[in-house]
Amino acid sequence: ETGVTQTPRHLVMGMTNKKSLKCEQHLGHNAMYWYKQSAKKPLELMFVYNFKEQTENNSVPSRFSPECPNSSHLFLHLHTLQPEDSALYLCASSQDSSRANEKLFFGSGTQLSVL
Amino acid sequence: DAKTTQPNSMESNEEEPVHLPCNHSTISGTDYIHWYRQLPSQGPEYVIHGLTSNVNNRMASLAIAEDRKSSTLILHRATLRDAAVYYCILRPYSGGGADGLTFGKGTHLIIQP
């Protein structure tokens, strides 16, 4: 148990659906991250929020829309996805994303399949 | 960002030490060296990090070369539970914020019983 909880663990959706991934951290951290891990590819950083402000958007298509209502919760809203968006989506948190010497804590991820 | 180079895979025997190498010849003076590992079907897990000096914790040791162009993660006594992909990552502090970690392909560590 890392203190970072992601729901759901598995999600199957059609290309016309709208769904949301949820991440919650119980560590008192101020930074939260979304990563994407496709099969046989390295993890790709998608978004970073620090103290509820988005500090990084790594050229992610607009069909992925993040939301960070407070420091403990992070959402990834999905709409009109493509089959190539099928991947493991990982959430992470840390004390402050501006510090290079800190640790990230990851959730177990949501395995997304787009049909 | 400075790049790291790791072997694609390594194999070791249970209860023996494991030395996982990482080359980072373009490292800058303010880059921290981080190691994470990812067990099957799980998110990555922090292992250790350092800047210039060698570091030890309950999971592993990190040996950093004097010129900082390479480092080695040392697992003192490998168990089957240490089988994972190990990532060596440089996290730069640019002054404007470090933001997220950039992962490479890592080293797939196989432990033989």
Side-chain angles (χ1 to χ4, degrees):
Chain A
E1 179 57 54
T2 65
V4 180
T5 304
Q6 290 187 243
T7 54
R9 288 297 306 272
H10 301 273
L11 179 62
V12 179
M13 60 186 288
M15 290 190 285
T16 58
N17 291 158
K18 289 184 181 180
K19 296 285 184 185
S20 296
L21 309 184
K22 180 183 176 183
C23 177
E24 184 174 0
Q25 56 95 2
H26 306 277
L27 301 168
H29 289 164
N30 298 299
M32 296 189 80
Y33 310 74
W34 279 117
Y35 280 85
K36 174 185 177 183
Q37 188 170 32
S38 303
K40 300 185 180 179
K41 281 188 175 181
L43 280 83
E44 301 171 57
L45 179 64
M46 300 175 73
F47 302 104
V48 181
Y49 279 83
N50 202 33
F51 294 91
K52 298 190 294 178
E53 296 295 322
Q54 189 180 121
T55 59
E56 186 155 343
N57 176 338
N58 211 13
S59 302
V60 181
S62 59
R63 57 186 184 269
F64 295 92
S65 175
E67 180 190 1
C68 188
N70 54 60
S71 293
S72 299
H73 293 87
L74 183 66
F75 296 90
L76 188 63
H77 303 299
L78 315 170
H79 64 97
T80 59
L81 294 192
Q82 305 298 311
E84 59 264 29
D85 296 322
S86 298
L88 181 67
Y89 289 85
L90 289 157
C91 173
S93 74
S94 70
Q95 193 59 248
D96 179 344
S97 68
S98 67
R99 298 181 192 168
N101 61 341
E102 57 159 20
K103 311 173 192 178
L104 268 64
F105 293 79
F106 284 82
S108 297
T110 294
Q111 186 65 54
L112 174 67
S113 296
V114 181
L115 305 179
Chain B
D1 290 349
K3 190 180 158 101
T4 62
T5 304
Q6 299 178 253
N8 288 334
S9 66
M10 288 184 63
E11 202 166 306
S12 185
N13 295 319
E14 198 176 8
E15 299 186 7
E16 290 185 358
V18 180
H19 292 237
L20 294 162
C22 181
N23 286 318
H24 29 78
S25 57
T26 59
I27 191 170
S28 74
T30 55
D31 288 345
Y32 279 84
I33 302 162
H34 290 254
W35 284 82
Y36 282 73
R37 71 179 186 181
Q38 188 173 18
L39 281 65
S41 303
Q42 293 188 27
E45 172 188 30
Y46 168 83
V47 178
I48 201 166
H49 77 277
L51 184 61
T52 56
S53 305
N54 294 344
V55 185
N56 299 296
N57 66 22
R58 63 174 182 80
M59 287 183 71
S61 295
L62 176 60
I64 301 173
E66 199 168 329
D67 64 4
R68 302 212 321 129
K69 293 186 177 182
S70 66
S71 61
T72 303
L73 179 71
I74 303 165
L75 306 179
H76 295 286
R77 193 165 167 268
T79 70
L80 296 177
R81 294 180 58 189
D82 292 319
V85 178
Y86 286 78
Y87 300 98
C88 169
I89 304 164
L90 300 184
R91 193 166 191 203
Y93 180 66
S94 64
D99 291 314
L101 294 170
T102 300
F103 285 77
K105 294 181 181 178
T107 296
H108 183 199
L109 177 64
I110 300 163
I111 305 295
Q112 298 288 356

